Amino acid sequence: MTTTQPVAEGLFTWPPTGSAPLRLIGSECTACGLVSFPASPDCVRCASTESKERLLSDRGTLWTYTTQNFRPPSPPYDGPRAFEPYSVGYVELPELLVEARLTEPDPEKLRIGQHMLLTLVPYTVRDDGTEVVTFAFAPAEDPAESEQETP
Amino acid sequence: MTEAVVIGVGLHPFGRFPGKPALDMGADAVRLALADAGVDWPQVQGGYIGSYEVANPDAIVGRLGLTGIPLRGVFNGCATAGTAVALAARAIETGEHDLTIAIGLDKHPRGAFAADPSVAGIPSWYGQTGLFLTTHFFGMKINRYMHDHGISHETLARVASKNFRNAAGNEKAWRRTPLSPEEILASPVLNHPLRQFMYCGPNEGAAALVLCRADQAHKYTATPVRIRATALRSRRLGAFEVQSPSFPVGEPVASPTVDASREAYERAGIGPEDVDVAQLQDTDAGSEIIHMAENGLCKDGEQERLVAEGATEIGGRLPVNTDGGLLGNGEPIGASGLRQIHEIVLQLRGAAGSRQIPGTPRVGYTHLYGAPGASAVTILST
Ligand SMILES: [Zn+2]
């Protein structure tokens, strides 16, 4: 049986459940309200060191993207030896723009402005068989359009 | 305030030099700069030296002469040389010294820079999952810029082709084989839309400048080059910058290049319309295009027409990266910006040989940009 682990604690809700669905875990400055991701005790706007947890929205639009067509240097990269190109991008959430891996590796199938939905991807498997997951964004339907289609 | 002028420049070729230590390349560059200035090492009163790979670049005094002068090490990533020249000039402007030196040297191993994200204050998962690559930023920035401002893939290829062609005429450059835009567009994509022959690579080399008080320059040279302004700026909140796991939504904030550029123009009392020749950070072909606008040399989107018209060629009205830039020379980080100033000094002296731009250029401009979102600009004139 394979076990699954998040790449880091405190990065996204784990494990995602019906009552605690998948969200990225950011922070909000208690003094000025600036939202940070990953969560940070330090505010880069007002220099306060007081913050509280803030879960981020799971939907946004693709602001820009690129591809990774060669295996990054290891360390720090700990993905599989057999390299499959992947893509990365910035997704504009209501709170801030987040850099993430994208589930669609083909740049021809990505478009600036398209709707994206948060998900998890198994990006590597450890020697003991443990699957390691990280957050990613997947192309999604425009929520406004899908509402219109609903009779 | 006393003005600082460049009276001597020295450049060790950029490339790969197996078995030759970085300090030896630096010593060669210094000796060339001293000879160019007609100065002996014991006359140098102080200086600044930058390197990424050499922990103690100030150990170069062991090659040059143990005269006891203050030689201070500096480092600001790709903007390192901007700091070295700024401080060497400042030491003259403030009256601390009459004659100073700025030195840069590096010897990088092959391949992309590999480091743990913790060196940039970023958690480990960012590197483990394959996000900690500066090249992602360059691909993403030009992808968005092409979308917003109508820049074509062909224009990216023309910029790279120009820089390799300029490098072919520069015996100290690294990549001296001309490549056509078609050959560049046929090379493999590394980070969409950027291809293999659109990127510069880290390599090896050294450069040095000798500076003195403007009122003493006549003792050394008939063609001093004035340092009109230096500026270094770091990123502000809201700017889209390299190695940022996130950034705020809202009105876009200008990059540190824009901030450094504006400050330098203001200090120099010189406007972008006065610039006769520019050396801009071309980490990749897209960077040169973006940096033309960020340094005020054109409006966003005008690059498509300017590049097609040949405006940035050696014979054009705004020559950019006449010595081949980073694409043609590679990037030994500590030395890269001094290589840019070396080229500007040759151009303003009318001594750039087959690369010499026509007319009587009076104003030259150099620009650096790199992690973690820092930019340095130097404006020089006759
Ligand atoms: Zn705050």
Side-chain angles (χ1 to χ4, degrees):
Chain A
M1 188 188 131
T2 51
T3 54
T4 303
Q5 279 184 356
V7 64
E9 296 291 330
L11 188 57
F12 43 81
T13 46
W14 182 263
T17 62
S19 58
L22 177 65
R23 290 283 191 281
L24 296 177
I25 302 171
S27 58
E28 181 182 320
C29 171
T30 53
C32 80
L34 182 74
V35 180
S36 300
F37 176 80
S40 166
D42 310 318
C43 177
V44 290
R45 183 158 70 192
C46 76
S48 158
T49 54
E50 304 291 327
S51 67
K52 61 183 184 191
E53 183 179 286
R54 167 84 179 256
L55 298 181
L56 306 182
S57 306
D58 61 353
R59 280 175 183 276
T61 54
L62 188 58
W63 191 76
T64 188
Y65 59 92
T66 189
T67 55
Q68 180 60 31
N69 293 42
F70 60 94
R71 194 174 187 281
S74 292
Y77 181 62
D78 67 2
R81 290 273 148 229
F83 179 70
E84 289 291 332
Y86 56 87
S87 55
V88 302
Y90 279 86
V91 175
E92 183 166 359
L93 306 177
E95 300 89 356
L96 77 181
L97 290 115
V98 172
E99 185 180 8
R101 288 177 68 132
L102 307 177
T103 58
E104 174 55 66
D106 182 355
E108 302 307 321
K109 294 179 180 164
L110 294 167
R111 182 174 50 78
I112 287 172
Q114 80 185 100
H115 290 265
M116 306 296 283
L117 181 63
L118 182 67
T119 187
L120 293 177
V121 290
Y123 83 96
T124 197
V125 178
R126 299 223 194 284
D127 290 341
D128 65 3
T130 304
E131 202 176 59
V132 186
V133 294
T134 191
F135 66 98
F137 281 87
E141 280 181 21
D142 182 342
E145 277 176 22
S146 55
E147 271 168 34
Q148 283 165 7
E149 284 163 19
T150 310
Chain B
M1 190 177 72
T2 311
E3 190 175 75
V5 297
V6 181
I7 55 170
V9 293
L11 184 68
H12 183 283
F14 283 16
R16 298 249 173 247
F17 307 94
K20 186 165 189 177
L23 282 179
D24 287 358
M25 292 187 248
D28 286 0
V30 169
R31 290 191 180 105
L32 287 169
L34 293 171
D36 187 42
V39 165
D40 294 323
W41 174 250
Q43 293 173 259
V44 175
Q45 297 171 357
Y48 293 85
I49 181 164
S51 183
Y52 175 82
E53 303 286 352
V54 179
N56 265 109
D58 50 323
I60 198 169
V61 294
R63 297 282 199 288
L64 297 168
L66 299 173
T67 56
I69 61 163
L71 185 63
R72 297 181 170 103
V74 293
F75 188 73
N76 282 104
C78 298
T80 293
T83 296
V85 70
L87 295 177
R90 202 78 79 242
I92 288 168
E93 292 161 0
T94 59
E96 184 185 11
H97 300 306
D98 295 337
L99 201 138
T100 61
I101 194 157
I103 312 167
L105 48 89
D106 251 313
K107 189 178 181 74
H108 303 295
R110 288 169 193 277
F113 289 110
D116 190 88
S118 63
V119 300
I122 301 171
S124 296
W125 60 263
Y126 190 71
Q128 289 173 262
T129 60
L131 298 180
F132 190 57
L133 288 105
T134 56
T135 60
H136 287 174
F137 168 75
F138 299 115
M140 286 194 275
K141 187 164 181 181
I142 190 62
N143 193 21
R144 175 82 197 187
Y145 196 86
M146 291 165 82
H147 171 268
D148 287 351
H149 301 294
I151 303 296
S152 64
H153 293 265
E154 288 69 25
T155 295
L156 295 180
R158 283 195 192 101
V159 166
S161 181
K162 165 185 69 74
N163 290 358
F164 292 125
R165 188 163 57 253
N166 290 352
N170 175 3
E171 72 281 1
K172 291 193 173 179
W174 184 34
R175 301 214 182 276
R176 302 188 57 204
T177 307
L179 288 168
S180 69
E182 293 72 27
E183 287 171 305
I184 289 161
L185 285 172
S187 67
V189 173
L190 298 186
N191 305 104
H192 173 86
L194 298 173
R195 295 168 181 274
Q196 182 183 354
F197 295 147
M198 296 177 179
Y199 272 114
C200 92
N203 63 348
E204 308 175 15
L209 310 177
V210 178
L211 287 70
C212 83
R213 293 168 58 107
D215 58 1
Q216 295 180 2
H218 63 274
K219 292 198 282 186
Y220 307 103
T221 178
T223 54
V225 170
R226 302 165 64 189
I227 296 182
R228 303 295 296 271
T230 59
L232 173 76
R233 296 296 290 267
S234 61
R235 70 192 198 275
R236 287 187 285 133
L237 180 63
F240 173 47
E241 293 300 317
V242 65
Q243 293 167 353
S244 303
S246 72
F247 69 101
V249 291
E251 281 300 299
V253 169
S255 83
T257 290
V258 174
D259 293 342
S261 177
R262 285 181 183 156
E263 181 182 332
Y265 284 129
E266 192 175 310
R267 282 175 184 268
I270 284 174
E273 66 283 358
D274 303 317
V275 172
D276 295 311
V277 55
Q279 310 294 319
L280 306 179
Q281 177 89 21
D282 55 330
T283 311
D284 60 279
S287 293
E288 178 170 317
I289 291 165
I290 293 168
H291 290 149
M292 287 169 64
E294 289 189 345
N295 286 290
L297 300 170
C298 70
K299 292 194 172 67
D300 287 320
E302 280 185 343
Q303 301 96 328
E304 185 72 9
R305 178 176 54 80
L306 290 172
V307 170
E309 289 173 357
T312 57
E313 302 276 347
I314 284 173
R317 67 179 167 81
L318 179 65
V320 174
N321 290 331
T322 48
D323 66 350
L326 280 83
L327 286 170
N329 288 279
E331 188 184 24
I333 281 181
S336 190
L338 297 180
R339 187 263 309 156
Q340 294 179 325
I341 295 176
H342 174 273
E343 175 69 5
I344 292 292
V345 167
L346 294 190
Q347 292 285 351
L348 297 189
R349 285 177 181 170
S354 64
R355 310 192 299 280
Q356 181 64 46
I357 65 171
T360 312
R362 298 184 52 79
V363 175
Y365 186 99
T366 70
H367 159 257
L368 300 166
Y369 171 83
S375 177
V377 168
T378 306
I379 299 179
L380 304 111
S381 79
T382 54

